[in-house]
């Protein structure tokens, strides 16, 4: 059934256009930068724009007017003051917005986590909200994206890097700047509010640093990553995809993994790595191959994906090489990244007593797919009308008092939590993300995966695998507030694959301190909107005009 559903939507591609043809003597444009880099104190304007990153022109929702959005560059210990300004105007898409700072713990600042209907109401048209926070003791590779419906998929996503002057690996690389950030994204030609109603959505193209091609489309520009022979580069890979994972590789080059989701790892040599939605890696590349052009590949997990005609590729170009397409060949990976082979570098070891089921609180979650709708422990998540944080601040403390009913689990403070997530039905593997924490992956999903409480990888997104597999993670409840736990495939989240972990509700008010009045103003402004002011009022009918495979209400 799954193959049927995924194949049905091949109509999203424009198949009548001429096929892409590569010619080895074709000159290429210089590399395009990732937006304009900004610091931690900035305005981030959210607006609509017409762009054609894969050659197909469409209206989008953008941060800073670019895709990807501007790289936010921060030094460890600096404070953030990012004012998100809503200038959205396209009525075919959502007109409100929110921005989540993915991987930032927001310890003591849960109210600026940016998660619509969990920690705040969305920011309405012609309004703004200032996000003030610190990333205490955090450094590494992060990103930001909308957390309002599936608005991310219309373009609101960008990288965020916290640089550590005292990085233990600083002597391992020569270059680590805005030119070494590599974003991996999927792209769609139909607005996300329409796709929200459809079962089995597939992306049209892969964009690497904002450029790519689609089947049947024009030979549009590909991203170029420039290197100099003899230098070592810290590439920061950001999986800012709405759906597929990508197998990332660079022809002729091995890569040394040193970071996963903001946490340093012991060095691990690989020749390819699978990057799930929301995940980030730092890899070191030694530019010691003959001067030339090499294919950089990001093969999506969509059925029938290939590299034909430059699909799913970018170019690694050595200084002095001609501006031509590579002629390098793709070879079978012999050293693929396996998550269980990653080990935390700093303070390794999962919290609590080693052994499955020996934590202070052991939570089992089973996710199921019925007719395209996802249920976690038999409950479909539907966003509440009042954000969970506001409910808690208004006096609700118990799971039975918190909405959405059946989708909130209350956690006591200073407890070791062991969380097991397994899936049944189609749609996997599912990348599971927890806000407010990094967790130790004591069992990675996969065949013959064993438990490791001694030195597992510590990260914030991990795959729960496919049917019959599970992931097991541990973390400590040291950050009071409601935190979202969800599949990072946007279409699955929109279809119900989420739950809220309400951590120490009784301690939330003291932990958060003074909450700005501008946060209090968000919900009255949003709740006053008429349906037409929300945007996308015709989305369901547009979806019905495309297919009969629609999600039930």
């Amino acid at each position: 059934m799954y193959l049927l559903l995924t194949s049905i939507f091949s109509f999203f591609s424009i198949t009548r256009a001429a096929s892409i043809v590569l010619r080895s003597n074709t000159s290429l444009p210089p590399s395009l930068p990732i937006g304009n880099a900004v610091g931690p104190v900035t305005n981030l304007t959210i607006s609509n724009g017409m762009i054609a990153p894969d050659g197909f022109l469409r209206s989008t929702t953008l941060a800073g007017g670019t895709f990807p959005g501007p790289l936010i560059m921060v030094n460890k210990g600096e404070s953030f003051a990012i004012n998100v300004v809503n200038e959205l105007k396209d009525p075919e898409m959502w007109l409100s917005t929110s921005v989540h700072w993915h991987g930032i713990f927001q310890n003591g600042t849960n109210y600026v986590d940016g998660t619509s209907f969990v920690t705040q109401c969305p920011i309405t048209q012609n309004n703004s909200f200032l996000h003030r926070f610190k990333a205490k003791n955090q450094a590494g590779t992060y990103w930001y994206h909308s957390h309002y419906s599936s608005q991310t998929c219309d373009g609101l996503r960008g990288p965020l890097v916290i640089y550590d002057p005292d990085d233990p690996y600083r002597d391992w690389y020569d270059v680590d700047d805005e030119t070494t950030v590599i974003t991996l994204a999927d792209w769609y030609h139909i607005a996300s509010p329409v796709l929200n109603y459809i079962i089995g959505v597939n992306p049209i193209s892969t964009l690497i640093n904002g450029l790519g091609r689609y089947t049947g489309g024009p030979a549009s520009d590909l991203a170029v990553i420039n290197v100099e022979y003899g230098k070592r580069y810290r590439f920061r890979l950001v999986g800012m995809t709405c759906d597929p994972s990508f197998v990332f590789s660079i022809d002729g080059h091995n890569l040394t993994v040193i970071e996963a989701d903001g946490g340093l790892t012991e060095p691990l040599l690989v020749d390819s790595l699978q990057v799930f939605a929301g995940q980030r890696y730092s890899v070191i590349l030694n530019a010691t191959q003959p001067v030339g052009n090499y294919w950089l590949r990001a093969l999506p997990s969509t059925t029938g994906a290939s590299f034909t005609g430059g699909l799913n590729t970018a170019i690694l170009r050595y200084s002095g090489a001609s501006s031509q397409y590579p002629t390098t060949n793709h070879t079978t990976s012999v050293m693929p990244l396996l998550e269980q082979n990653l080990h935390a570098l700093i303070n390794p070891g999962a919290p609590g007593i080693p052994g499955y089921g020996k934590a202070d609180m052991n939570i089992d979650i089973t996710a199921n797919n019925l007719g395209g709708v996802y249920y976690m422990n038999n409950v479909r998540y539907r966003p509440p009308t009042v954000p969970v944080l506001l409910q808690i601040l208004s006096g609700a403390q118990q799971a039975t008092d918190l909405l959405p009913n059946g989708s909130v689990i209350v956690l006591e403070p200073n407890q070791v939590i062991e969380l097991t997530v397994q899936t049944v039905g189609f749609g996997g593997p599912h990348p599971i993300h927890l806000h407010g924490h990094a967790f130790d992956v004591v069992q990675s999903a996969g065949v013959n995966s064993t438990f490791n409480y001694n030195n597992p990888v510590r990260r914030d997104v991990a795959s729960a695998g496919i049917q019959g597999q599970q992931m097991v993670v541990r973390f400590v409840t040291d950050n009071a507030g409601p935190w979202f736990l969800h599949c990072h495939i946007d279409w699955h989240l929109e279809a119900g694959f989420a739950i809220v972990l309400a951590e120490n509700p009784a301690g939330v008010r003291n932990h958060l301190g003074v909450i700005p009045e501008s946060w209090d103003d968000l919900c009255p402004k949003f709740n006053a909107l008429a349906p037409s002011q929300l945007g996308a009022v015709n989305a369901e009918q547009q979806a019905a005009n495309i297919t009969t495979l629609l999600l039930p209400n």
Side-chain angles (χ1 to χ4, degrees):
M1 181 177 178
Y2 178 63
L3 291 177
L4 172 64
L5 293 175
T6 55
S7 63
I8 278 175
F9 293 96
S10 60
F11 59 79
F12 288 145
S13 296
I14 299 177
T15 57
R16 290 179 292 179
S19 298
I20 298 167
V21 178
L22 290 182
R23 297 177 177 86
S24 62
N25 62 348
T26 303
S27 295
L28 296 174
S31 177
L32 297 179
I34 299 181
N36 296 311
V38 299
V41 180
T42 187
N43 283 332
L44 189 66
T45 299
I46 311 303
S47 60
N48 299 119
M50 297 292 294
I51 64 172
D54 60 358
F56 180 89
L57 187 68
R58 61 155 293 188
S59 179
T60 59
T61 299
L62 304 174
T66 65
F67 182 83
L71 167 64
I72 300 175
M73 304 177 72
V74 188
N75 286 320
K76 185 178 181 180
E78 287 188 293
S79 297
F80 292 78
I82 302 177
N83 189 37
V84 175
V85 182
N86 182 349
E87 295 185 359
L88 295 171
K89 292 180 172 60
D90 188 342
E92 296 300 311
M93 293 188 288
W94 301 122
L95 295 174
S96 296
T97 192
S98 73
V99 177
H100 169 57
W101 319 98
H102 184 120
I104 305 301
F105 299 151
Q106 302 295 358
N107 199 315
T109 50
N110 175 271
Y111 51 87
V112 292
D113 189 52
T115 311
S116 293
F117 309 113
V118 177
T119 63
Q120 69 172 77
C121 281
I123 305 165
T124 54
Q125 266 185 304
N126 303 314
N127 284 286
S128 64
F129 180 60
L130 178 61
H131 300 71
R132 290 187 181 274
F133 58 92
K134 294 182 178 180
K136 302 172 184 177
N137 301 315
Q138 288 189 261
T141 309
Y142 305 92
W143 65 302
Y144 60 91
H145 58 87
S146 172
H147 226 306
Y148 178 50
S149 185
S150 54
Q151 191 179 55
T152 294
C153 308
D154 288 320
L156 205 177
R157 25 185 166 162
L160 187 160
V161 176
I162 303 176
Y163 295 91
D164 183 1
D166 300 317
D167 176 19
Y169 283 116
R170 186 62 192 85
D171 292 335
W172 287 51
Y173 53 85
D174 305 302
V175 184
D176 176 26
D177 57 24
E178 64 273 15
T179 69
T180 62
V181 176
I182 301 176
T183 62
L184 309 176
D186 54 351
W187 195 247
Y188 302 82
H189 291 173
I190 295 175
S192 69
V194 177
L195 298 180
N196 282 345
Y197 289 99
I198 297 175
I199 299 173
V201 173
N202 275 327
I204 296 299
S205 59
T206 295
L207 304 183
I208 301 175
N209 281 0
L211 295 173
R213 297 175 178 176
Y214 66 96
T215 300
S220 54
D221 293 342
L222 300 177
V224 179
I225 312 297
N226 294 295
V227 297
E228 184 177 337
Y229 180 85
K231 288 189 175 181
R232 303 163 300 171
Y233 293 81
R234 179 175 181 167
F235 288 143
R236 295 178 181 265
L237 311 180
V238 185
M240 52 174 63
T241 174
C242 289
D243 189 344
S245 63
F246 295 105
V247 175
F248 179 88
S249 64
I250 302 176
D251 288 358
H253 295 76
N254 291 331
L255 305 165
T256 301
V257 180
I258 61 168
E259 177 211 349
D261 298 354
L264 293 178
T265 67
E266 294 180 3
L268 180 66
L269 188 67
V270 302
D271 61 5
S272 70
L273 55 165
Q274 187 175 17
V275 184
F276 286 94
Q279 291 186 331
R280 296 88 62 208
Y281 290 98
S282 281
V283 296
I284 295 173
L285 176 139
N286 292 324
T288 56
Q289 294 301 306
V291 170
N293 294 293
Y294 296 82
W295 285 119
L296 182 152
R297 304 175 187 270
L299 188 68
S301 54
T302 50
T303 303
S306 73
F307 302 115
T308 302
L311 298 174
N312 308 310
T313 60
I315 297 165
L316 182 79
R317 172 168 298 148
Y318 278 72
S319 176
S322 60
S323 296
Q324 296 181 339
Y325 289 113
T327 58
T328 55
N329 295 317
H330 182 237
T331 58
T332 302
S333 175
V334 295
M335 291 188 298
L337 171 67
L338 300 177
E339 186 179 66
Q340 57 265 37
N341 291 338
L342 286 175
H343 305 293
L345 180 71
I346 308 298
N347 298 322
I353 300 171
Y356 186 54
K358 294 185 178 181
D360 297 321
M361 184 176 184
N362 303 286
I363 302 172
D364 294 322
I365 294 178
T366 299
N368 194 11
N369 184 317
L370 297 174
V373 175
Y374 283 92
Y375 299 85
M376 297 186 78
N377 288 354
N378 300 314
V379 178
R380 176 186 183 179
Y381 176 81
R382 296 178 184 269
T385 55
V386 178
V388 180
L389 176 57
L390 181 55
Q391 295 177 50
I392 291 172
L393 294 174
S394 300
Q397 303 290 306
Q398 304 301 319
T400 52
D401 301 325
L402 291 165
L403 299 175
N405 187 35
S407 291
V408 181
I409 297 175
V410 172
L411 308 180
E412 296 301 318
N414 304 311
Q415 300 288 293
V416 174
I417 307 299
E418 185 166 87
L419 175 68
T420 301
V421 180
Q422 55 183 304
T423 61
V424 296
F426 65 88
H430 300 281
I432 306 299
H433 173 48
L434 173 62
H435 293 216
H437 293 275
F439 45 64
D440 287 272
V441 186
V442 297
Q443 186 184 35
S444 296
V447 179
N448 300 322
S449 179
T450 58
F451 285 92
N452 175 14
Y453 291 88
N454 183 45
N455 59 351
V457 66
R458 188 172 297 131
R459 62 186 323 162
D460 59 54
V461 180
S463 169
I466 59 176
Q467 185 168 335
Q469 299 178 351
Q470 67 179 23
M471 76 167 204
V472 183
V473 302
R474 278 195 180 184
F475 63 97
V476 176
T477 52
D478 56 4
N479 189 7
W483 301 111
F484 217 17
L485 176 76
H486 62 90
C487 177
H488 219 292
I489 295 174
D490 285 71
W491 317 117
H492 296 178
L493 170 57
E494 193 68 17
F497 200 148
I499 202 164
V500 177
L501 302 182
E503 187 172 329
N504 185 16
V508 166
R509 184 170 292 278
N510 287 338
H511 189 63
L512 299 188
V514 178
I515 298 175
E517 290 184 9
S518 56
W519 182 86
D520 293 320
D521 295 337
L522 292 172
C523 285
K525 291 178 180 178
F526 182 79
N527 293 334
L529 296 178
S532 62
Q533 293 174 301
L534 296 172
V537 293
N538 297 318
E540 185 172 10
Q541 182 57 54
Q542 291 173 17
N545 292 340
I546 294 172
T547 179
T548 58
L549 284 176
L550 302 178
L551 285 169
N553 292 324

